Amino acid sequence: MSRFWSPVVHTLSPYVPGEQPKQDGVVKLNTNENSYPPSPRVLAAITSAAERLRLYPDPHATRLREAIAAYSGVAPEQVFVGNGSDEVLAHTFQALLKHDRPLLFPDVTYSFYPVYCGLYGIAYEEVPLDPAMRIDTAGYRRPSSAILLLCNPNAPTGIALPREAIAALLAENPDRLVVVDEAYVDFGAESAVPLVARHDNLLVIQTFSKSRSLAGLRVGFAIGQRPLIEALERVKDSFNSYPVDCLAIAGAVAAIEDEEWFIETRARIIASRDVLTRDLGQLGFEVLPSLANFAFARHRSRSGADLAAALRQRGVLVRHFRKPRIEDFLRITVGTNEQCGRLIEVLRGLI
Ligand SMILES: Cc1ncc(COP(=O)(O)O)c(C=O)c1O
């Protein structure tokens, strides 16, 4: 604390990211990173781009926006890129979500959303997940609200809504913006991107951090109709002209072009998720039906906090949230079969 702080700084409750351990040998299943490395083509592209480090990158990241647009079936003008989807989300909050009426998002969801509301002074209301921890779209029929923000599949539950549920929300709310955070969509859920052409009230946000194994490179993007993208560009160009550096542009383009690598690593993660779900079930866990690269599970007789602490002591990191409704759950990233096997072995010893 200091008398030099701007007043808003006193009021912030910053987001706390999952631990990044310094020591080797830890089984790291706590931050939903991909358990496989990025495509070798990414590393080659980054090495070659390093020759241009002397120069500023393209402020519009044109090559990357074109690659994302071609992959997603939209125009490059409908794509906004940023320094990780966290930055894209932050610009979205500032550019599009601050209105007289409150923003709505689920009571259990990505815990950065309320942090951005605090930073930008945005009022919000939480809509409870149903008893099975699913997003209940009927709960979003609150005329007093201005905007809906959904994470699909939701984090940390992993449960996804079908595209038709998003389409129904859009049709029901033509004058309210619907933002869908699809950080985990590639692991089996249906993207809302095909709905962008028909709905000027939809913004979809995705990332290269999860399914493209590039959490360390920091590339995220939004897809929406041109006026929404223009709002994001106006905020970005009032903040930082070069949020995506030249290595990130080159690496992300190479990642999106290596479809074979993407399909192969994604298939492995989905197969490991099935095995992990089965093994956790056999140990007495209730595992929510995840379409993400993590499982959200609680044991019928052991507390989440105790299990997370005991796993940590034995070199296995998982994520535990001390929050109402979910304090008995563990969020476990789907690792390689070997990593998941180690987790199950340690849990078997504990339970
Ligand atoms: C739901 C959700 N959205 C967005 C992000 C941010 O991802 P990144 O900034 O790495 O793109 C995360 C990261 O874990 C997430 O879980």
Side-chain angles (χ1 to χ4, degrees):
M1 179 124 45
S2 155
R3 69 186 189 286
F4 302 117
W5 285 12
S6 300
V8 67
V9 177
H10 293 273
T11 69
L12 299 179
S13 316
Y15 176 75
V16 183
E19 182 181 349
Q20 294 293 346
K22 303 280 175 295
Q23 72 274 32
D24 292 336
V26 173
V27 178
K28 192 173 177 310
L29 304 176
N30 65 332
T31 48
N32 297 344
E33 289 137 336
N34 198 305
S35 39
Y36 297 97
S39 152
R41 283 162 65 173
V42 169
L43 305 186
I46 289 178
T47 309
S48 141
E51 288 165 15
R52 298 189 303 276
L53 278 175
R54 187 178 63 78
L55 304 173
Y56 283 106
D58 171 8
H60 311 293
T62 310
R63 269 180 68 214
L64 176 55
R65 286 175 38 243
E66 284 172 357
I68 294 169
Y71 181 82
S72 308
V74 298
E77 302 72 45
Q78 295 178 314
V79 180
F80 174 82
V81 294
N83 191 267
S85 61
D86 278 341
E87 187 186 76
V88 177
L89 280 164
H91 289 341
T92 301
F93 274 74
Q94 196 171 30
L96 296 165
L97 308 192
K98 187 168 180 170
H99 294 277
D100 297 340
R101 292 177 296 155
L103 161 69
L104 296 185
F105 50 77
D107 62 339
V108 175
T109 192
Y110 185 34
S111 42
F112 225 135
Y113 303 155
V115 174
Y116 292 129
C117 287
L119 178 61
Y120 295 120
I122 298 172
Y124 67 93
E125 289 174 9
E126 294 177 334
V127 182
L129 297 183
D130 75 9
M133 307 292 275
R134 293 173 304 208
I135 288 176
D136 173 16
T137 52
Y140 292 80
R141 290 193 193 114
R142 290 190 198 173
S144 58
S145 67
I147 298 143
L148 320 180
L149 170 60
L150 299 176
C151 183
N152 195 39
N154 196 15
T157 63
I159 300 176
L161 286 170
R163 186 185 298 130
E164 64 191 36
I166 305 286
L169 268 179
L170 290 163
E172 254 180 58
N173 298 282
D175 294 322
R176 293 201 290 174
L177 181 64
V178 177
V179 177
V180 187
D181 176 354
E182 294 189 346
Y184 300 99
V185 76
D186 289 330
F187 299 103
E190 292 175 343
S191 174
V193 167
L195 304 174
V196 162
R198 270 181 288 134
H199 297 277
D200 65 354
N201 59 332
L202 171 63
L203 187 76
V204 181
I205 299 177
Q206 296 189 3
T207 179
F208 282 72
S209 295
K210 314 294 180 180
S211 58
R212 307 271 172 185
S213 306
L214 289 176
L217 204 62
R218 312 305 302 128
V219 184
F221 59 96
I223 294 181
Q225 289 194 12
R226 184 67 204 140
L228 300 182
I229 299 303
E230 193 186 336
L232 296 175
E233 285 168 354
R234 288 171 71 101
V235 167
K236 171 228 160 208
D237 288 324
S238 308
F239 176 78
N240 177 4
S241 307
Y242 310 105
V244 187
D245 65 54
C246 62
L247 306 184
I249 292 173
V253 169
I256 216 158
E257 286 174 353
D258 195 346
E259 181 76 355
E260 211 179 308
W261 186 272
F262 169 71
I263 289 173
E264 164 71 20
T265 48
R266 176 175 68 173
R268 284 195 203 183
I269 290 166
I270 292 172
S272 299
R273 181 176 70 204
D274 293 343
V275 175
L276 177 67
T277 303
R278 183 201 65 201
D279 290 353
L280 287 169
Q282 285 172 356
L283 286 175
F285 282 88
E286 173 201 357
V287 188
L288 300 189
S290 171
L291 285 181
N293 70 335
F294 56 84
F296 201 48
R298 70 176 150 195
H299 194 262
R300 58 173 173 248
S301 59
R302 300 291 300 268
S303 101
D306 291 353
L307 281 177
L311 283 167
R312 192 175 187 287
Q313 273 181 350
R314 290 156 182 80
V316 180
L317 293 186
V318 298
R319 194 87 196 260
H320 172 254
F321 300 94
R322 282 181 202 281
K323 287 192 178 162
R325 294 190 77 185
I326 57 169
E327 56 206 349
D328 273 332
F329 280 89
L330 300 177
R331 195 198 64 193
I332 305 167
T333 305
V334 178
T336 58
N337 284 342
E338 204 182 15
Q339 290 173 314
C340 294
R342 176 69 190 141
L343 165 88
I344 294 296
E345 183 187 319
V346 175
L347 280 173
R348 203 168 279 133
L350 287 171
I351 288 167

